[in-house]
Amino acid sequence: MDPFEVRMQFLALLRRLDASQQSIKKIVGYAVKFFPSCGEDLWDCIFEECQKGSLNNRINILYLLDSLCEACLVSRPPPGSNQPSSSYVDYVSRDLRKIVDNVVPEGRQGLPNLMSTKQILDSWRTKRIVEPQKVDEVIAYLDERRAAASASAARASSPDSSVGALTRDDIKRRMEEDRERHKRLRERRWVQPVAQTLPAAMPPLASFMPLADEDEGAREHALDIEFDNEWETTSDWNEDDDEAVAEENALCFAGGDERQGGRDEHAMDLS
């Protein structure tokens, strides 16, 4: 199949994209299959559709990118192989700000996609699909735009609010697809990326050493990421922890002296 035909078929798939898992898996499989020969062209197709589609189509494309990134991480070749190590994850990381600008347009019209976009970004940050610092910058940028949109809406009564208004059918469709998307996101929220470089006989161990940089050729293992996430969300030791430890000790060792004394007394009676 020549690149032009690959591009046209991929565009046809993108224009039929919806929130169903079947539709997303079909496009992900197609994109991964033709990445070695037409990866850059297919990424351009995704980016173009994200620019000119409706709000609902744009958020569907963002969820498509979420599945596509995870598929690329699972199928990424091990270090040292002859296969190319680049993937759609690199394109997402490179164009993250532009993608978010398209999915969440400036002004009030982008507010319906705001929360879903932040959920996806938070998932990418947790799973280290995109650098956490870059994701934090984009989330802060979205918060600033939301504050600006709310301020402008409070200052002026919106006579032109009906321009981007959704019809009743559009609202019902959006609600149904939002339920499908959020259900899938909740199911995958706790799934950590699987380490591909460890031998099958060696279980992955959480490391207490600093994680290696990408230029050193090492990747973060699943338990390293999980430990790092738990470490960041755990509070410092305080008085409540001291009280909890004291209560646990009292429950574990309460009556120990009495039981010991009872055994001694019983032994004395036998003698």
Side-chain angles (χ1 to χ4, degrees):
M1 189 182 300
D2 61 276
F4 179 77
E5 189 176 357
V6 171
R7 180 185 180 93
M8 296 306 297
Q9 290 191 11
F10 190 65
L11 283 173
L13 291 174
L14 284 176
R15 288 163 186 167
R16 293 195 298 267
L17 173 66
D18 55 34
S20 66
Q21 191 68 8
Q22 181 180 1
S23 174
I24 291 176
K25 285 183 177 180
K26 187 175 183 180
I27 299 177
V28 167
Y30 190 95
V32 172
K33 177 181 178 181
F34 290 100
F35 176 80
S37 58
C38 306
E40 187 72 31
D41 289 338
L42 297 184
W43 175 252
D44 291 339
C45 293
I46 296 175
F47 198 77
E48 290 173 5
E49 289 298 316
C50 190
Q51 285 179 313
K52 62 184 182 182
S54 64
L55 283 179
N56 202 36
N57 291 338
R58 296 181 189 187
I59 195 65
N60 283 336
I61 289 177
L62 187 64
Y63 276 84
L64 166 67
L65 292 178
D66 181 39
S67 298
L68 185 58
C69 287
E70 292 202 357
C72 291
L73 291 179
V74 171
S75 60
R76 175 177 291 180
S81 64
N82 296 328
Q83 302 178 8
S85 59
S86 60
S87 66
Y88 292 103
V89 178
D90 301 322
Y91 297 148
V92 170
S93 180
R94 182 192 67 189
D95 299 330
L96 182 61
R97 181 71 169 265
K98 297 178 181 178
I99 295 170
V100 171
D101 281 335
N102 292 326
V103 176
V104 187
E106 191 172 359
R108 296 182 60 188
Q109 61 175 339
L111 292 180
N113 287 350
L114 179 63
M115 293 307 299
S116 296
T117 301
K118 292 178 69 173
Q119 289 176 348
I120 289 291
L121 291 175
D122 185 65
S123 174
W124 289 352
R125 175 177 57 189
T126 302
K127 298 177 182 179
R128 301 300 195 272
I129 293 177
V130 182
E131 294 179 7
Q133 183 179 0
K134 183 176 294 187
V135 175
D136 290 338
E137 293 174 357
V138 175
I139 291 179
Y141 168 68
L142 285 177
D143 291 336
E144 293 176 0
R145 286 178 50 177
R146 180 180 183 179
S150 301
S152 63
R155 285 194 303 267
S157 59
S158 53
D160 58 343
S161 60
S162 60
V163 175
L166 299 175
T167 64
R168 182 180 296 271
D169 292 338
D170 291 338
I171 294 174
K172 289 182 179 179
R173 180 185 175 190
R174 177 61 186 258
M175 292 173 63
E176 292 174 358
E177 294 196 346
D178 277 345
R179 281 195 292 267
E180 178 69 22
R181 286 188 289 255
H182 293 165
K183 176 184 177 182
R184 183 164 53 89
L185 187 62
R186 286 194 300 270
E187 290 173 351
R188 299 165 54 187
R189 181 168 295 169
W190 299 107
V191 177
Q192 300 289 350
V194 179
Q196 301 293 322
T197 57
L198 293 178
M202 180 184 299
L205 300 177
S207 172
F208 291 88
M209 300 298 292
L211 297 175
D213 297 332
E214 294 182 357
D215 54 5
E216 296 179 4
R219 284 182 291 166
E220 296 176 326
H221 298 316
L223 288 181
D224 290 325
I225 297 174
E226 188 173 358
F227 173 80
D228 194 31
N229 293 335
E230 293 296 330
W231 183 266
E232 292 176 356
T233 56
T234 302
S235 62
D236 295 333
W237 190 273
N238 51 41
E239 296 179 356
D240 294 336
D241 296 314
D242 292 331
E243 295 177 0
V245 170
E247 292 176 0
E248 292 292 336
N249 287 336
L251 291 174
C252 292
F253 303 108
D257 295 339
E258 296 177 1
R259 289 194 298 271
Q260 182 67 29
R263 286 194 296 270
D264 293 343
E265 184 179 355
H266 187 62
M268 292 176 65
D269 291 342
L270 289 175
S271 63

